[in-house]
Amino acid sequence: MEKLTKDDVHPKILEALLADSNITLEDALENEMILNMGPQHPATHGVLRLLLRLDGETVMGCVPELGYLHRGYEKLAENMNYYEFIPHTDRLDYLSPMSNNVAYALAVEKLVGIEAPPRAQYIRMIISELARVASHLVAIGSLAMDVGALTVFLWTLREREKILDIWDILCGARFTNSYTRIGGVANDAQPEALAKVKWFIDQYLPNLDECERLINTNRIFIERLDGVGVISADDAIDIGLTGPSLRGSGVEFDLRRAQPYLFYNEIDFKVVTYPDGDSLARYFVRADETRESIKIIRQALEKMPQGETLLNQPKKVLPKKTEIYSRMEELIHDFMIVNFGINPEPGEIYHAVESSKGELGFYLVSKGDGKPWKCKIRSPSFVNLQSVPQLVKGHMVSDVVAILGSLDPVMGEADK
Amino acid sequence: MGLEAKLNGNSFFTTTVDALTEWARKNSVWPMPMGISCCAIEMMASGDPKYDIARFGSEVMRFTPRQCDLMIVAGTVTYKMSHVVRKIYDQMPDPKWVIAMGACTSSGGMYRSYPVVQGIDQFLPVDIYLAGCPPRPDNLLNALIQIQEKIGRTKARDFQDKPLPRLTVVQPNGEFLQNN
Amino acid sequence: MASPKELLEQRLNEKFSGENFIFNEHRNELTVSLDKKNIIAVCKYLKEEPELAFRLCEDITAVDWATRKNRFSVVYHIYSLKMNFRLALKASVDEKDCNIDSVSSVWNTANWHERETFDMYGIHFNNHPDLRRMYMPEEFEYHPLRKDFPLMGIPGSLSLPKNKN
Ligand code: SF4
């Protein structure tokens, strides 16, 4: 291992790291230890870099350093029209791309003032919940892997593959789907896809139980998470945690319930909370949430009406490809939308959905052009990561990976 | 029952050093999973039971560069990250190969924007460019097979004139020892 | 019971009489524009008043209007768990006097949001505990989300590793 030198760490980061102590850099490098974790580290879930100040094995201070995956989404969004940005939203939270699409499409629809037909909304609901299951499965698996249980990871990945297969049938891509369109979805859900969804939800619960049996009775797993990284409800709200991480602290806040979008107000589901606020609670919330998701999907499948899946509003919504090729008017509308955009009236909106990591919001400002004047992505992972320094303080180095795993950050989203 | 059953007792077989090393090298390529973003998930998926990269002898994903001979760069490389990628590449022992997995790594892909390096070949030698956004796991396996073919064509003399890496060894008494 | 909007309007005008609040509604979303010198007082009040209780700060960002007199608007999205209501606060910042008070003393989470805004727009947040760049390398000189920054960046402003061999 190479010794960390001044060249590797920017002085400003060091300053932040040593801020609450009275030691100097040279001193810190001699007596205490500064440990660099990431950006290439298996347990940081991507390219997060943490600088840890250690006293023995205890973490005294921690400074996260982001930006290794900053891809300039917001700048890109300002330079393309609303439709073109849909594929980019896939790659934000690449563990649940479908629900990002939905979040973005809902935001644009709100800005334009249109609403997708009911069948499309139900399809969106089903795919967002599937995305949540897929994402939580990876979260559970990689958390277990981080604390040393490799088998669970393979088992949860196996379940996730089944969801990817469903998406494959639905839109032809395993992930990075771009299935949602503004004003609906790209194509109606095929009977085979729906049949596969039914098959999946029927066999999922026993399989989840099986995975849980592996770890819930495992003393190593429980003891490495129990009481590690505790955050109280008030602190959690103050630091801006949302999603499972917030509900693990006992706050019953879920945007699906608080500000229902799609048809969540017609669906019966429970907002899962656990009071402890530690890593174990966050894990339990995730596992139970997938059960609720299955419940939601089951109801949505029952309630789903027949009908259109794309809104018929030629000035705002791209017409179907078959119509473009056969009818003049649709061709003109298609040309206008592709070249000049959908020109929503000037104004600004913020729309947020409950994605698998927390509150995913889009703040869109329109000046009446085809391109958004400003598109800000409020990404849950970014905000959740902010709690890391608070959570890891006073714990052992090896707990850092458990805490990170329990927060389940995705760097594509955190760095934007 | 394999070859060894026939070659019992004092039997032997002859081969060339090249053939033997090639054979050993190409069937145990240890990848360094440089997972940066979305493509890393597909790289993970190629290790799962469905695609099972172990069939090609590459399931040993090592997170330390010093044990690897193939770097799979999976994900968008930004300027900030490029220094890290290069540093890790430099730490890998020779001979080493690189797969640029995905459109982003190969050419910047859909990110024509200020922080993204438009193709990692600007700072790394790349052996295989893998198309797709993301490439499906079967595609990655295909790239791996091609890398194996490429490894199969390398000869020991290809490395003959390469200077040895500069090593610095710290002696117990605190002195530095350098090999050249 | 009064709707959240009426309640807010009444409370804010009562508490900060003489200040100029502009209430604006677009697609059922309430935006309040205020003077930047009041930002901390208003935020503190909105958070601590038990009836309003905007305890969750969701997002802080800025908008670059490029040609307007006050070039930037800093936008705060805050949420009241009690009323289930989201409010946007907006304060204008001029390019010449490019700073605003930091609200990280009110909401802890504002810390990173403000760092990000500083990184992207170069708006300085006074009294911020740790105002560094969030995403871009420290050596980077520009602020990418400003409208005069080109999408492809400025050549040579970011370095690539040097080839050793
Ligand atoms: S090629 Fe596509 S999937 Fe791969 S990292 Fe780039 S954007 Fe993500």
Side-chain angles (χ1 to χ4, degrees):
Chain A
M1 196 137 102
E2 277 159 41
K3 197 173 164 189
L4 202 63
T5 60
K6 268 186 184 173
D7 304 336
D8 299 323
V9 195
H10 196 274
K12 280 198 179 167
I13 304 175
L14 274 182
E15 209 176 281
L17 190 61
L18 304 176
D20 58 344
S21 66
N22 51 3
I23 48 178
T24 62
L25 170 64
E26 287 70 26
D27 201 26
L29 286 178
E30 288 303 322
N31 300 333
E32 294 195 347
M33 187 160 94
I34 292 183
L35 188 71
N36 178 47
M37 189 171 161
Q40 171 34 236
H41 187 283
T44 55
H45 294 226
V47 288
L48 173 66
R49 182 183 187 193
L50 293 178
L51 282 144
L52 303 166
R53 185 156 59 81
L54 305 175
D55 180 9
E57 272 200 57
T58 317
V59 180
M60 307 299 288
C62 165
V63 174
E65 164 79 353
L66 282 81
Y68 287 94
L69 194 53
H70 176 62
R71 296 185 273 192
Y73 276 116
E74 291 170 5
K75 191 81 182 172
L76 279 165
E78 289 170 12
N79 286 283
M80 53 179 57
N81 69 37
Y82 291 91
Y83 269 100
E84 280 174 303
F85 194 61
I86 295 178
H88 281 279
T89 57
D90 284 335
R91 284 130 182 107
L92 276 173
D93 172 1
Y94 38 77
L95 290 178
S96 55
M98 284 283 200
S99 63
N100 301 349
N101 291 167
V102 174
Y104 177 71
L106 283 171
V108 177
E109 280 164 17
K110 187 170 178 186
L111 183 69
V112 181
I114 54 177
E115 207 168 286
R119 186 175 170 86
Q121 306 242 31
Y122 273 103
I123 295 179
R124 284 177 180 185
M125 211 148 75
I126 293 172
I127 56 174
S128 336
E129 291 308 318
L130 279 178
R132 191 186 315 277
V133 176
S135 163
H136 283 350
L137 280 174
V138 178
I140 293 170
S142 50
L143 171 64
M145 187 169 68
D146 287 347
V147 297
L150 187 64
T151 320
V152 188
F153 181 67
L154 294 176
W155 287 17
T156 53
L157 263 198
R158 182 193 64 197
E159 291 303 304
R160 181 172 177 270
E161 275 302 318
K162 295 172 187 164
I163 299 180
L164 297 193
D165 282 346
I166 296 173
W167 292 349
D168 213 344
I169 303 174
L170 205 56
C171 64
R174 275 164 52 82
F175 79 120
T176 64
N177 318 71
S178 313
Y179 175 58
T180 314
R181 293 287 182 278
I182 295 161
V185 290
N187 55 279
D188 197 357
Q190 305 85 340
E192 310 91 79
L194 292 180
K196 189 134 196 206
V197 174
K198 262 201 205 88
W199 167 79
F200 174 76
I201 56 177
D202 285 340
Q203 56 91 55
Y204 173 71
L205 292 179
N207 282 342
L208 178 68
D209 290 341
E210 205 178 5
C211 291
E212 283 196 325
R213 264 205 303 280
L214 270 185
I215 40 181
N216 283 5
T217 50
N218 185 329
R219 262 193 54 199
I220 303 175
F221 181 77
I222 299 291
E223 280 181 13
R224 284 206 58 184
L225 297 182
D226 196 10
V228 169
V230 183
I231 187 162
S232 71
D234 283 339
D235 284 350
I237 295 177
D238 196 33
I239 203 77
L241 285 185
T242 45
S245 314
L246 178 64
R247 292 192 282 276
S249 295
V251 184
E252 197 177 332
F253 175 58
D254 188 327
L255 281 170
R256 291 176 291 174
R257 185 53 63 69
Q259 300 213 315
Y261 51 95
L262 297 175
F263 284 120
Y264 281 114
N265 47 357
E266 294 180 6
I267 301 261
D268 161 49
F269 67 100
K270 206 172 95 219
V271 177
V272 185
T273 56
Y274 276 81
D276 297 343
D278 56 359
S279 302
L280 192 62
R282 290 190 280 273
Y283 152 70
F284 281 145
V285 170
R286 289 215 171 78
D288 283 0
E289 243 173 43
T290 60
R291 293 204 170 84
E292 294 302 313
S293 293
I294 297 293
K295 227 159 90 188
I296 296 173
I297 297 171
R298 188 161 284 144
Q299 293 172 47
L301 279 175
E302 270 166 24
K303 289 192 177 171
M304 191 157 77
Q306 291 299 329
E308 280 296 310
T309 52
L310 197 62
L311 192 65
N312 185 7
Q313 191 156 346
K315 291 259 180 311
K316 302 292 176 202
V317 178
L318 272 183
K320 286 221 174 73
K321 265 281 169 321
T322 45
E323 286 166 11
I324 297 168
Y325 292 140
S326 55
R327 292 162 63 176
M328 192 64 206
E329 217 153 282
E330 264 73 17
L331 180 66
I332 295 173
H333 286 312
D334 183 74
F335 180 80
M336 294 303 279
I337 290 183
V338 170
N339 284 290
F340 303 104
I342 48 178
N343 306 351
E345 62 185 270
E348 46 205 78
I349 58 108
Y350 177 89
H351 189 268
V353 304
E354 185 75 27
S355 90
S356 51
K357 312 284 180 301
E359 174 183 335
L360 173 64
F362 284 92
Y363 171 59
L364 293 168
V365 179
S366 163
K367 265 192 159 185
D369 313 334
K371 297 172 181 172
W373 182 257
K374 152 109 193 149
C375 167
K376 158 85 197 203
I377 304 154
R378 190 266 185 211
S379 55
S381 301
F382 173 70
V383 190
N384 289 357
L385 272 178
Q386 199 180 348
S387 65
V388 169
Q390 207 171 327
L391 288 180
V392 299
K393 207 164 196 170
H395 284 293
M396 298 282 160
V397 189
S398 55
D399 293 335
V400 175
V401 292
I403 290 169
L404 269 182
S406 76
L407 284 176
D408 185 26
V410 168
M411 294 317 288
E413 186 179 58
D415 284 351
K416 288 180 279 206
Chain B
M1 222 169 47
L3 196 58
E4 77 279 3
K6 299 275 178 241
L7 294 175
N8 51 9
N10 293 330
S11 314
F12 65 94
F13 65 86
T14 54
T15 177
T16 59
V17 175
D18 264 350
L20 191 65
T21 45
E22 269 162 25
W23 172 78
R25 223 178 235 158
K26 79 180 207 189
N27 290 308
S28 63
V29 182
W30 285 17
M32 159 84 214
M34 189 71 220
I36 303 173
S37 61
C38 356
C39 276
I41 309 295
E42 285 300 65
M43 185 171 60
M44 251 163 55
S46 67
D48 78 3
K50 189 169 162 191
Y51 293 98
D52 199 8
I53 204 170
R55 289 175 297 162
F56 304 93
S58 295
E59 77 280 18
V60 213
M61 300 251 179
R62 285 285 177 259
F63 286 92
T64 155
R66 303 193 197 268
Q67 301 176 352
C68 304
D69 36 22
L70 167 69
M71 178 146 103
I72 306 177
V73 186
T76 325
V77 181
T78 59
Y79 282 94
K80 196 170 175 180
M81 190 69 195
S82 64
H83 299 267
V84 181
V85 176
R86 179 73 209 193
K87 190 165 189 180
I88 290 175
Y89 177 79
D90 285 339
Q91 290 178 0
M92 282 166 54
D94 270 329
K96 50 194 170 185
W97 291 269
V98 176
I99 293 181
M101 179 179 180
C104 282
T105 348
S106 309
S107 69
M110 60 201 285
Y111 301 101
R112 276 196 74 71
S113 60
Y114 57 95
V116 178
V117 180
Q118 306 292 313
I120 59 163
D121 43 10
Q122 290 182 26
F123 63 92
L124 270 190
V126 179
D127 294 288
I128 302 260
Y129 297 91
L130 186 49
C133 181
R136 296 173 73 104
D138 8 12
N139 223 340
L140 179 62
L141 297 182
N142 185 18
L144 186 67
I145 293 169
Q146 290 192 25
I147 280 279
Q148 291 183 343
E149 259 170 40
K150 185 164 181 175
I151 296 175
R153 287 197 303 269
T154 47
K155 300 271 175 274
R157 73 174 119 76
D158 295 347
F159 305 104
Q160 183 170 299
D161 302 327
K162 259 203 155 172
L164 284 174
R166 205 176 153 82
L167 286 181
T168 312
V169 183
V170 187
Q171 300 287 53
N173 59 5
E175 270 178 28
F176 291 98
L177 201 74
Q178 287 188 337
N179 65 339
N180 52 8
Chain C
M1 214 184 99
S3 74
K5 183 185 173 218
E6 288 159 12
L7 185 70
L8 266 168
E9 214 160 320
Q10 179 209 339
R11 286 307 184 81
L12 278 178
N13 284 330
E14 205 171 90
K15 171 93 188 174
F16 299 91
S17 56
E19 296 298 340
N20 189 16
F21 292 111
I22 304 165
F23 292 80
N24 193 353
E25 209 163 16
H26 184 68
R27 309 245 186 255
N28 280 331
E29 282 188 5
L30 185 63
T31 311
V32 181
S33 309
L34 54 132
D35 197 342
K36 75 172 184 183
K37 68 176 193 295
N38 292 335
I39 190 73
I40 290 211
V42 172
C43 286
K44 230 191 197 106
Y45 174 72
L46 288 174
K47 185 189 175 191
E48 278 160 15
E49 173 69 31
E51 233 175 296
L52 304 174
F54 282 91
R55 281 170 64 202
L56 181 63
C57 172
E58 291 181 320
D59 191 22
I60 296 174
T61 184
V63 184
D64 179 0
W65 297 106
T67 49
R68 286 196 193 165
K69 189 168 138 276
N70 283 324
R71 181 168 171 184
F72 301 105
S73 299
V74 181
V75 187
Y76 304 77
H77 286 101
I78 55 179
Y79 192 86
S80 161
L81 299 175
K82 191 159 170 246
M83 295 194 289
N84 261 341
F85 185 75
R86 182 176 290 123
L87 174 71
L89 296 175
K90 248 170 128 179
S92 299
V93 174
D94 192 21
E95 196 185 355
K96 289 200 195 69
D97 183 25
C98 207
N99 60 53
I100 187 167
D101 288 335
S102 158
V103 295
S104 49
S105 57
V106 185
W107 295 286
N108 247 330
T109 176
N111 187 331
W112 278 22
H113 289 301
E114 288 180 343
R115 273 178 64 191
E116 187 195 344
T117 312
F118 164 71
D119 187 359
M120 292 292 142
Y121 289 96
I123 298 172
H124 195 87
F125 289 86
N126 305 328
N127 302 327
H128 188 281
D130 178 24
L131 199 63
R132 284 182 290 129
R133 281 185 176 270
M134 188 83 235
Y135 293 138
M136 304 307 289
E138 287 296 341
E139 303 80 28
F140 192 62
E141 293 163 20
Y142 307 93
H143 298 288
L145 277 185
R146 288 193 172 190
K147 288 283 175 185
D148 47 12
F149 185 85
L151 174 62
M152 281 309 289
I154 292 170
S157 58
L158 287 163
S159 64
L160 274 175
K162 283 181 200 69
N163 247 336
K164 267 193 191 161
N165 325 329

